[in-house]
Amino acid sequence: MKTFKSLFVAFVCMMVSNVALADDRPIPVEQLPASAKTFVTNNFQGKKILYAEKDWNSYECRLDDGTKIEFTSKGDWKKVDRNRMSAVPTALVPAVIKQYVKTNYGNCMISKIEKERYGYDIELSNDLELKFNHQGTLIGMDD
């Protein structure tokens, strides 16, 4: 019976610590890494960070125009998600991907971009999702 109680207590402690580490928790904007704040200042002039949160290995913030940005623990951007009426800053999109979108979807904006291990995942203003490798070659599509 003692062994069961010990195992049960250990299990409960492990679950509580996992939940505590996994949960996003609000933080003051000042606690975002300096590189994350610089990224927002340089790419979203005139926009204000309204909300920030920290996970065990990442940060996330929301701007006053509804833009959601995810950062690594070092403050490097991982994902920028704007509404369908706004484009992500062109500086974030590799030139070959910009050209592909312009050539094939000229009337659409890139409203979301996410860095992935394989390359980039983008979403267009028409809700089409395109996946590119690091060389900018289209490798997948989802509507």
Side-chain angles (χ1 to χ4, degrees), residues 18-27 51-62 68 70-71 78:
N18 282 344
V19 169
L21 288 174
D23 285 347
D24 295 336
R25 63 183 192 285
I27 60 169
Y51 178 79
E53 59 186 31
K54 184 180 185 333
D55 198 339
W56 69 277
N57 70 345
S58 64
Y59 293 89
E60 185 176 306
C61 72
R62 287 222 183 233
K68 184 166 84 171
E70 293 180 22
F71 299 97
K78 293 191 322 187

Side-chain angles (χ1 to χ4, degrees), residues 28 32 35 87 108 110 123 128:
L32 283 171
S35 56
C108 292
I110 299 173
E123 187 172 309
L128 185 64

Side-chain angles (χ1 to χ4, degrees), residues 23 44 54 99 143:
D23 285 347
F44 298 91
K54 184 180 185 333
Q99 186 58 48
D143 57 352

Side-chain angles (χ1 to χ4, degrees), residues 73-134:
S73 59
K74 294 179 181 179
D76 300 323
W77 74 271
K78 293 191 322 187
K79 179 179 177 181
V80 175
D81 190 355
R82 305 206 71 196
N83 61 50
R84 289 191 317 214
M85 301 306 288
S86 300
V88 300
T90 58
L92 306 183
V93 184
V96 66
I97 296 175
K98 281 189 272 196
Q99 186 58 48
Y100 180 90
V101 170
K102 182 179 177 183
T103 300
N104 295 285
Y105 303 96
N107 59 340
C108 292
M109 295 180 288
I110 299 173
S111 58
K112 180 169 103 175
I113 185 166
E114 184 171 3
K115 291 180 185 176
E116 299 285 358
R117 269 187 267 138
Y118 57 80
Y120 294 90
D121 187 5
I122 68 167
E123 187 172 309
L124 302 178
S125 53
N126 65 357
D127 286 333
L128 185 64
E129 191 175 307
L130 305 174
K131 297 176 188 310
F132 295 88
N133 65 17
H134 289 288

Side-chain angles (χ1 to χ4, degrees), residues 1-2 12 16 19-20 29 64 67-68 80 83 110 119 133 138:
M1 192 66 161
K2 281 185 177 183
V12 168
V16 168
V19 169
V29 171
D64 57 2
T67 300
K68 184 166 84 171
V80 175
N83 61 50
I110 299 173
N133 65 17
L138 181 69

